[in-house]
Amino acid sequence: MKKNIPMEYHSLKEAIHAAFGNHAEISKTGRIHGGDINDTYRISLSTGKKAFVKTNSIRNTRFFLTESQGLLALRQTGAIGVPKVLGTGMDEQKGFSFLLLEWIESVPCIGDYWEIFGHELATLHKTVLFHAEEPQTIRYDQRKQNHSYPFGAEGQSPSRFGFWEDNFIGSNPQKNLPKASWIDFYRECRLIPQIKMAEHYLDSKLRKKITYLLDHLDSYLREPEFPSLLHGDLWSGNVLCGNDGKAWILDPAAYVGDFETDLAMTQLFGSFPSAFYFAYGEINPIDKGFEDRKELYHLYHLLNHLNLFGRMYLGSVVKILNKYVS
């Protein structure tokens, strides 16, 4: 796509005025490299403040809208650092869309960063979402002894897993239709959509193994004791250390599910330091069976990478299928 220059966009200027006041003007922009999907910039304002903006074509407007809802849900828990959403918008004439966020200054990890990160992520996962009919009316409460639910009032038979809208994992769609069963949700909203997209990579032998795995998924996975609000794509590239010495999580694919999926993702492309997992377990104990389940949670992301980036990820998918289905 064409590389956008944010200073040219009237709608972005309006969002900046709404967030920082009418006196705030863009004085300088700088490209930030590293993302595969969007163009990203640091914006310096005439007031001395900074902001972060992602831009893409206008057809990706919904991508930014759903990301903003995930950020809002995570931020409203107050459990962990999440950038504030300052605005989203589009410009039909220029054909672009954008997401404007609070600027978080990134610094090297220092001190007890990993321990604090572990504690805060565990706190996020144990924060209960009572109602999620509309993101503006979310109410949270810290889990004690009672069970509470993310969809519908307590005492009903709610669908505990999912989200109030579909969103994206990378640039692929992510289905979030609410389900009462985590295993049903993971089968129908995570594995099956990715498998359908990857069909042209799969021979008859792999298809048989996948069918067996899907039919017997309840033999491999557990129904979690409680639902957790998840980041959804928690690898090292989506976390930074702020100048407050704490972790800030970015680029979510948020939904309500089993907290083990977030932990599994932290170990897919390398692993966080052991201090992180020890600290996490102090707040939210990690079941011993996690080690047996985590590669099934890797499977979703590896299928997604296969669909996004091609055949180089097929071997990793096959390896996991062979591990669970002989």
Side-chain angles (χ1 to χ4, degrees):
M1 62 170 287
K2 180 181 177 181
K3 301 304 179 184
N4 301 311
I5 308 298
M7 291 180 72
E8 298 177 356
Y9 299 150
H10 179 70
S11 55
L12 177 59
K13 291 180 180 180
E14 289 182 337
I16 289 171
H17 289 162
F20 295 99
N22 291 333
H23 56 289
E25 301 293 342
I26 300 174
S27 60
K28 184 180 179 182
T29 65
R31 283 290 306 277
I32 299 173
H33 299 280
D36 297 318
I37 300 172
N38 306 298
D39 295 329
T40 55
Y41 301 86
R42 179 183 63 253
I43 295 179
S44 299
L45 303 177
S46 57
T47 59
K49 294 185 177 181
K50 297 177 182 178
F52 175 82
V53 67
K54 299 181 179 185
T55 67
N56 210 306
S57 66
I58 197 167
R59 65 178 178 271
N60 283 42
T61 300
R62 188 171 173 275
F63 182 95
F64 290 143
L65 290 174
T66 59
E67 181 178 345
S68 71
Q69 297 304 325
L71 288 165
L72 176 63
L74 291 163
R75 182 177 172 86
Q76 285 189 349
T77 68
I80 195 167
V82 181
K84 183 179 181 180
V85 176
L86 302 178
T88 60
M90 62 180 179
D91 189 313
E92 293 185 4
Q93 185 175 8
K94 293 183 179 292
F96 88 103
S97 57
F98 70 87
L99 173 61
L100 182 67
L101 300 174
E102 171 188 11
W103 174 259
I104 306 298
E105 195 70 39
S106 178
V107 302
C109 301
I110 55 175
D112 53 359
Y113 166 83
W114 288 106
E115 289 85 351
I116 295 172
F117 183 15
H119 286 158
E120 291 186 339
L121 184 67
T123 301
L124 168 68
H125 288 161
K126 295 195 76 172
T127 299
V128 179
L129 177 59
F130 273 95
H131 296 280
E133 295 176 358
E134 294 292 339
Q136 293 82 3
T137 61
I138 298 172
R139 292 188 289 119
Y140 294 92
D141 189 36
Q142 284 301 113
R143 177 172 302 280
K144 299 183 188 293
Q145 299 298 319
N146 61 312
H147 278 71
S148 303
Y149 304 97
F151 299 93
E154 188 173 4
Q156 297 177 351
S157 297
S159 297
R160 305 202 307 162
F161 305 100
F163 210 54
W164 50 74
E165 62 182 353
D166 294 344
N167 49 27
F168 296 86
I169 181 70
S171 57
N172 280 332
Q174 179 167 264
K175 186 177 179 182
N176 290 320
L177 182 66
K179 301 283 184 182
S181 162
W182 163 247
I183 295 172
D184 288 347
F185 177 84
Y186 192 68
R187 178 192 296 112
E188 297 171 25
C189 296
R190 290 296 174 265
L191 293 180
I192 288 177
Q194 292 289 343
I195 289 165
K196 286 181 177 179
M197 283 191 284
E199 280 186 345
H200 57 290
Y201 291 111
L202 308 174
D203 59 25
S204 59
K205 184 177 179 180
L206 288 178
R207 288 193 177 103
K208 288 180 180 178
K209 291 195 173 191
I210 287 170
T211 298
Y212 182 90
L213 180 66
L214 293 174
D215 288 345
H216 296 84
L217 200 58
D218 57 353
S219 298
Y220 301 105
L221 298 182
R222 62 168 195 173
E223 290 291 345
E225 180 183 351
F226 55 86
S228 297
L229 181 60
L230 307 176
H231 177 281
D233 193 15
L234 193 61
W235 67 291
S236 60
N238 286 341
V239 186
L240 62 80
C241 180
N243 57 15
D244 58 358
K246 296 183 179 182
W248 290 74
I249 54 177
L250 319 167
D251 300 335
Y255 65 100
V256 176
D258 187 339
F259 68 82
E260 288 188 346
T261 60
D262 265 356
L263 290 180
M265 187 60 185
T266 68
Q267 298 181 8
L268 179 54
F269 303 115
S271 184
F272 292 176
S274 58
F276 165 82
Y277 301 101
F278 182 82
Y280 182 97
E282 290 180 326
I283 304 295
N284 189 28
I286 303 171
D287 189 278
K288 291 180 180 179
F290 168 68
E291 290 298 320
D292 297 324
R293 294 185 287 267
K294 69 179 182 182
E295 288 184 83
L296 280 175
Y297 294 134
H298 290 169
L299 181 59
Y300 170 61
H301 292 284
L302 289 169
L303 283 165
N304 184 53
H305 277 65
L306 175 63
N307 290 318
L308 286 172
F309 305 117
R311 187 172 291 273
M312 69 183 77
Y313 287 95
L314 181 59
S316 297
V317 169
V318 172
K319 183 178 179 180
I320 291 176
L321 289 173
N322 288 340
K323 175 179 178 177
Y324 290 98
V325 183
S326 58

